[in-house]
Amino acid sequence: MNAISFVHEQLTATKEYPKFKAGDNVTVNYKIVEGNKERIQSFKGDVVKIQGVGFTATFTVRKISDGIGVERTFPFFSPNIDSVTLNKVGKVRRAKLYYLRQRQGKAARIKEKRV
């Protein structure tokens, strides 16, 4: 089992992301393949949750697009993720921010942590 994990670590390229947690505002740039063309699209929103350990770890980002909430889950070790940029650090007291799904407008805002 140890040899399998060693080979898996050697074959997968580890990516460096900034440290972020639930409540932070991030921009995820990911690759989209359309036919034979490939382009990079950005998804900017608040991190709702981070779950999993190791290669199964994922994070969910939520944004409001034309008044409709859109959530997207990204695997940390996906080859389609180009980069992750940390925009704001949020001040929250929970690890999973599911309550944002019922909030609208100003009630759905997350306070920014002062540094």
Side-chain angles (χ1 to χ4, degrees), residues 1-11 55:
M1 199 64 164
N2 197 9
I4 294 172
S5 63
F6 176 75
V7 170
H8 193 62
E9 289 175 8
Q10 298 297 322
L11 293 177
F55 291 105

Side-chain angles (χ1 to χ4, degrees), residues 6-103:
F6 176 75
V7 170
H8 193 62
E9 289 175 8
Q10 298 297 322
L11 293 177
T12 57
T14 58
K15 296 186 178 185
E16 294 295 323
Y17 298 132
K19 283 285 208 183
F20 60 90
K21 58 180 181 33
D24 293 350
N25 190 285
V26 295
T27 302
V28 182
N29 296 316
Y30 59 97
K31 297 174 191 167
I32 291 185
V33 178
E34 295 173 337
N36 56 0
K37 288 190 278 185
E38 188 175 285
R39 65 183 176 89
I40 293 177
Q41 185 172 349
S42 63
F43 191 90
K44 182 178 179 181
D46 296 322
V47 178
V48 174
K49 66 177 176 177
I50 297 176
Q51 69 177 15
V53 179
F55 291 105
T56 62
T58 60
F59 61 99
T60 302
V61 181
R62 178 179 175 84
K63 74 172 184 176
I64 305 296
S65 178
D66 292 328
I68 298 171
V70 179
E71 287 187 10
R72 179 141 187 191
T73 302
F74 298 98
F76 272 101
F77 294 97
S78 171
N80 293 331
I81 293 182
D82 187 52
S83 65
V84 177
T85 308
L86 181 65
N87 300 328
K88 294 181 192 175
V89 178
K91 182 180 177 184
V92 293
R93 298 165 70 179
R94 308 201 172 280
K96 309 265 194 287
L97 306 178
Y98 296 133
Y99 66 89
L100 290 177
R101 294 172 180 167
Q102 283 80 37
R103 304 279 174 98

